[in-house]
Amino acid sequence: MAGSRGNTLTFTVTHAQRDGTEVCLRLAGELDLSTAPRLTTAIDGLLADGRVHLLMDLGELTFCDSTGIAAFVRGDNACADAGGWLRLTGATGRVDRVLRMTGLADVLRYEPTADPASHAHH
């Protein structure tokens, strides 16, 4: 029994407040049919809280299937409807390949320079 305990949490979502309406979500583990609802719940909760700019840090995500891709697309649509955006950053290995194959790597690419605040004159 003790040995199987480690397999129950294959996916985690943690978020850190950035400035204003922006939040960085760090995804770790495997994003698939059984864990995608947790991501969706996290996104919905943040949107309900007025956080409409979501940056997904995928550096620790080891796996993502079509269900995960759908969750990102749904999340981006929900953010857009609320006047915000959802962006992906830090993807590596298999996750990066899946994002490139589906075209999401380009659509949801995080570009820090695209932030108007970074062009402010000091």
Side-chain angles (χ1 to χ4, degrees), residues 19 22 53 85 87 110-122:
D19 42 87
E22 195 171 306
H53 300 101
W85 46 253
R87 292 292 176 265
Y110 179 60
E111 297 173 14
T113 52
D115 182 356
S118 66
H119 298 302
H121 298 291
H122 296 293

Side-chain angles (χ1 to χ4, degrees), residues 3-119:
S4 65
R5 210 177 116 247
N7 300 333
T8 53
L9 260 183
T10 53
F11 176 74
T12 58
V13 186
T14 52
H15 59 269
Q17 182 63 47
R18 288 159 72 91
D19 42 87
T21 59
E22 195 171 306
V23 177
C24 179
L25 285 92
R26 185 179 297 274
L27 310 189
E30 302 181 2
L31 184 57
D32 56 24
L33 186 62
S34 63
T35 59
R38 244 185 287 172
L39 174 60
T40 298
T41 300
I43 291 172
D44 288 349
L46 289 165
L47 288 175
D49 201 28
R51 314 280 183 227
V52 297
H53 300 101
L54 308 182
L55 176 61
M56 305 273 156
D57 181 349
L58 310 183
E60 294 174 40
L61 196 67
T62 56
F63 178 82
C64 179
D65 70 0
S66 58
T67 326
I69 295 296
F72 287 138
V73 172
R74 182 196 168 283
D76 180 53
N77 290 335
C79 287
D81 287 345
W85 46 253
L86 180 148
R87 292 292 176 265
L88 308 175
T89 186
T92 59
R94 283 189 296 177
V95 174
D96 184 51
R97 279 200 297 280
V98 169
L99 292 176
R100 288 181 193 285
M101 276 168 28
T102 57
L104 269 200
D106 292 326
V107 177
L108 299 181
R109 185 172 58 229
Y110 179 60
E111 297 173 14
T113 52
D115 182 356
S118 66
H119 298 302

